[in-house]
């Protein structure tokens, strides 16, 4: 996969990726300035900003038993420390458990929203509606009964909703592509989430297997299995 900055919810190689979208700059100095202007300053000299007696401390959750995710979140904690924000890395066994299997006291539950920051991965297919509607449409917040919505970040934007409704209601390719470009623009400009990286992956395939193509999305490579054949 090309070495490109990760900010779009459409990884390189996906046919709907808008290459004109530019990532927001990584600017520690600007972030420190904005926090100073907002009144978050380190008044007691402990290395962490505070305001009105409250320390800038965040809990960051990820799934337990995943060393790469833990190391990634510890790296993120270092980025936050550079701007005077303390991040406590928390590993959870119930992070992705359903609403029905958790309570409001369940720590690090993405469905209950009991986290400040959470680290997870995308699984994308070629279904543009399925990729984005359930994750970013306001109607998909999991807080309402039956609590099965997938918008666990609680993102809400009227223009995003309108574009996602097009993905739901229109079947022509032109309409779908136009709508998903709007989805990408709003995602990046409004920080629906902050992608950290796109995974680099390699495949080992027998030379006898014909018509195998790596899925440019993140779902199974068996996406075109009906076209495979084995050379004798």
């Amino acid at each position: 996969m090309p070495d490109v900055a990760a900010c779009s919810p459409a990884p390189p190689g996906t046919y709907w990726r808008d290459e004109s979208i530019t990532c927001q700059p990584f600017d520690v100095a600007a972030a420190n300035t904005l926090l100073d202007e907002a009144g978050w300053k380190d008044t007691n000299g402990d290395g962490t900003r505070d305001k009105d007696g409250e320390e800038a401390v965040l809990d960051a959750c990820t799934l337990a038993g995943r060393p790469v995710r833990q190391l990634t979140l510890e790296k993120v904690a270092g980025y936050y420390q550079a701007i005077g924000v303390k991040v406590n890395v928390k590993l959870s066994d119930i992070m992705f458990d359903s609403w029905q299997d958790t309570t409001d006291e369940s720590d690090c539950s993405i469905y209950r929203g009991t986290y400040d920051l959470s680290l997870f991965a995308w699984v994308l297919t070629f279904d543009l509606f399925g990729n984005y509607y359930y994750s970013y449409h306001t109607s998909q917040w999991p807080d309402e009964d039956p609590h099965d919505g997938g918008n666990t970040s609680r993102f809400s934007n009227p223009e995003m909703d309108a574009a996602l409704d097009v993905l739901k209601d229109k079947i022509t390719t032109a309409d779908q592509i136009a709508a998903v470009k709007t989805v990408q623009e709003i995602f990046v400009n409004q920080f629906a989430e902050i992608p950290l990286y796109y995974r680099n992956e390699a495949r080992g395939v027998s030379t006898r297997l014909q018509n195998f193509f790596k899925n440019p999305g993140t779902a199974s490579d068996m996406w075109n299995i009906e076209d495979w054949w084995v050379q004798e």
Side-chain angles (χ1 to χ4, degrees):
M1 184 174 291
D3 183 16
V4 295
C7 65
S8 168
T14 48
Y15 70 88
W16 62 90
R17 178 180 169 88
D18 186 353
E19 297 291 354
S20 69
I21 291 177
T22 56
C23 297
Q24 299 290 337
F26 181 81
D27 193 331
V28 174
N32 278 316
T33 298
L34 288 173
L35 287 167
D36 287 340
E37 292 174 351
W40 286 94
K41 300 180 180 181
D42 183 10
T43 62
N44 55 16
D46 66 351
T48 301
R49 293 176 180 272
D50 57 86
K51 181 180 180 181
D52 300 330
E54 181 179 357
E55 293 282 312
V57 178
L58 301 175
D59 288 335
C61 301
T62 195
L63 192 63
R66 302 292 191 275
V68 171
R69 294 190 180 191
Q70 179 181 349
L71 291 171
T72 300
L73 209 49
E74 289 172 355
K75 184 72 172 177
V76 170
Y79 294 149
Y80 274 93
Q81 189 60 54
I83 58 173
V85 177
K86 182 179 180 182
V87 171
N88 297 318
V89 174
K90 306 181 76 171
L91 307 179
S92 172
D93 290 319
I94 58 93
M95 183 172 171
F96 299 112
D97 286 5
S98 69
W99 182 284
Q100 290 75 14
D101 292 330
T102 55
T103 69
D104 288 338
E105 285 70 46
S106 298
D107 200 16
C108 288
S109 166
I110 63 170
Y111 290 101
R112 295 277 176 171
T114 53
Y115 64 88
D116 296 317
L117 304 171
S118 62
L119 176 69
F120 48 85
W122 291 320
V123 176
L124 299 179
T125 69
F126 288 122
D127 173 18
L128 301 185
F129 165 70
N131 283 344
Y132 301 115
Y133 184 88
Y134 298 106
S135 295
Y136 307 116
H137 198 282
T138 303
S139 68
Q140 298 303 305
W141 284 27
D143 305 83
E144 300 297 327
D145 190 64
H147 307 295
D148 59 356
N151 186 351
T152 56
S153 64
R154 276 71 175 178
F155 184 75
S156 181
N157 178 284
E159 293 180 22
M160 176 72 93
D161 287 347
L164 294 170
D165 285 336
V166 171
L167 295 181
K168 180 182 69 168
D169 299 330
K170 303 291 185 179
I171 62 173
T172 62
T173 300
D175 288 336
Q176 291 260 315
I177 294 298
V180 83
K181 286 188 174 183
T182 299
V183 169
Q184 292 171 71
E185 291 170 358
I186 295 172
F187 179 97
V188 172
N189 293 328
Q190 297 295 318
F191 301 100
E193 292 161 343
I194 301 178
L196 298 177
Y197 58 87
Y198 303 122
R199 289 177 176 170
N200 251 328
E201 297 180 328
R203 297 290 187 269
V205 182
S206 169
T207 56
R208 296 176 59 210
L209 180 61
Q210 306 299 305
N211 283 340
F212 173 89
F213 298 99
K214 181 184 179 302
N215 190 342
T218 56
S220 169
D221 284 328
M222 299 178 72
W223 64 281
N224 72 327
I225 191 172
E226 69 274 12
D227 297 323
W228 295 359
W229 58 278
V230 176
Q231 188 175 46
E232 296 297 336

